């Protein structure tokens, strides 16, 4: 994810839609009885929907897995949607700074905002913002969501807590699989384009060979150094890696070059995503990514797209 590029683009858009926000009201909430929840990314809105169940109407601002998140532009309709939200869930760590601008442009003292960064107590200079790939993130975020939903509708607090318990139970499929995977495939060498799935790879015991400086350069939309590019090329041509993890949503000539090297050297590819693919829940998405990684290691199978 190119944080720098998106932060600039969306910052400008947020200013542009501020005028539109001035005419918005909370009237859209009236009558439904459901709590209006907006997630900056669809993985967060999905978890909120799972916790809120029948008492929540959840939507996401960024939800198309077939587009580059960098090209996202907040429209007046997005601004209006956010203005009606009673609960907002966002990532933080600079990943979706546009949310703060939109919220500031549409002040609401009763709106609750869950920021994953704050829930986890992470500093602003956290290097990798892709927090949803960390197995620790969603259980903590879900607990905060349940608490805030219970505060908004106290009569349904027990319902939200029961849904939270079910969510945590469902997460065990993935976290147990991670533990099992680590026992068999720890230290497997892989290459990546940027640190999208690095938190999951770390939990799985995977050895990411791509220099961090190259990952950061691609993430921040700058050119990798010639030394880093040469080191990354050598991982493919020297067959020093077992799998190449490729961000399907953010591609350019540099990442396409690495993808070609992977194909040319018969190194299996696993596609990773920044927003949740269609047809998945958050838990099933994470499990699918891990299953694809295991298939790549054990049978050389590529799963470029989920």
């Amino acid at each position: 994810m190119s944080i720098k590029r998106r932060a600039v683009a969306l910052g400008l858009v947020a200013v542009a839609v501020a005028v539109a926000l001035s005419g918005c009201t909370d009237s859209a909430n009236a009558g439904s009885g459901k709590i209006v929840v907006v997630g900056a990314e669809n993985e967060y809105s999905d978890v909120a929907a799972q916790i809120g169940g029948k008492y929540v109407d959840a939507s996401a601002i960024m939800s198309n897995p077939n587009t580059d998140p960098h090209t996202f532009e907040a429209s007046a309709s997005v601004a209006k949607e956010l203005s009606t939200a009673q609960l907002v869930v966002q990532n933080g760590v600079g990943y979706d700074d546009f949310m703060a601008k939109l919220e500031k442009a549409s002040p609401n003292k009763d709106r609750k905002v869950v920021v994953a960064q704050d829930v986890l107590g992470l500093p602003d200079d956290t290097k990798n913002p892709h927090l949803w790939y960390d197995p620790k993130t969603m259980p903590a975020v879900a607990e905060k969501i349940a608490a805030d939903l219970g505060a908004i509708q106290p009569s349904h607090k027990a319902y939200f807590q029961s849904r939270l318990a079910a969510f945590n139970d469902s997460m065990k499929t993935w976290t147990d699989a991670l533990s099992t995977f680590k026992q068999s495939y720890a230290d497997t060498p892989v290459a990546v384009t940027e640190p999208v799935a690095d938190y999951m790879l770390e939990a799985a015991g995977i050895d990411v060979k791509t220099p961090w400086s190259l990952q950061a350069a691609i993430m921040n939309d700058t050119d990798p150094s010639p030394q880093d590019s040469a080191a990354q090329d050598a991982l493919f041509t020297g067959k020093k890696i077992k799998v190449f993890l490729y961000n399907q949503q953010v591609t350019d000539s540099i990442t396409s070059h690495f993808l070609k090297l992977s194909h040319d050297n018969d190194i299996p590819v696993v596609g990773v995503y920044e927003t949740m693919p269609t047809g998945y829940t958050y838990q099933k998405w994470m499990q699918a990514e891990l299953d694809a990684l295991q298939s790549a290691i054990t049978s050389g199978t590529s799963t470029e797209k989920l």
Side-chain angles (χ1 to χ4, degrees), residues 99-111:
M99 293 294 291
K101 295 182 175 68
L102 291 172
E103 290 153 9
K104 185 177 181 180
S106 175
N108 181 346
K109 63 180 178 57
D110 296 324
R111 179 195 301 139

Side-chain angles (χ1 to χ4, degrees), residues 49-105:
Q50 291 188 51
I51 303 302
K54 61 184 177 181
Y55 297 114
V56 157
D57 182 5
S59 61
I61 291 178
M62 290 192 292
S63 60
N64 189 342
N66 298 314
T67 61
D68 183 344
H70 305 163
T71 63
F72 171 80
E73 292 185 359
S75 64
S77 62
V78 169
K80 183 176 182 179
E81 181 181 7
L82 186 64
S83 74
T84 65
Q86 295 163 279
L87 175 64
V88 175
V89 189
Q90 59 203 57
N91 186 75
V93 202
Y95 189 85
D96 45 18
D97 279 349
F98 64 95
M99 293 294 291
K101 295 182 175 68
L102 291 172
E103 290 153 9
K104 185 177 181 180

Side-chain angles (χ1 to χ4, degrees), residues 106-118:
S106 175
N108 181 346
K109 63 180 178 57
D110 296 324
R111 179 195 301 139
K112 296 185 180 298
V113 179
V114 176
V115 183
Q117 175 191 357
D118 297 340

Side-chain angles (χ1 to χ4, degrees), residues 198-211:
D198 276 14
Y199 287 119
M200 184 181 76
L201 298 177
E202 180 181 355
I206 289 294
D207 182 9
V208 178
K209 292 295 188 183
T210 300

Side-chain angles (χ1 to χ4, degrees), residues 159-190:
Y159 174 84
F160 299 136
Q161 289 299 316
S162 69
R163 302 274 300 188
L164 173 63
F167 174 80
N168 287 333
D169 284 344
S170 70
M171 282 286 290
K172 291 180 180 178
T173 301
W174 176 47
T175 55
D176 288 350
L178 279 168
S179 298
T180 301
F181 179 99
K182 188 173 184 179
Q183 292 174 10
S184 299
Y185 308 110
D187 299 323
T188 298
V190 307

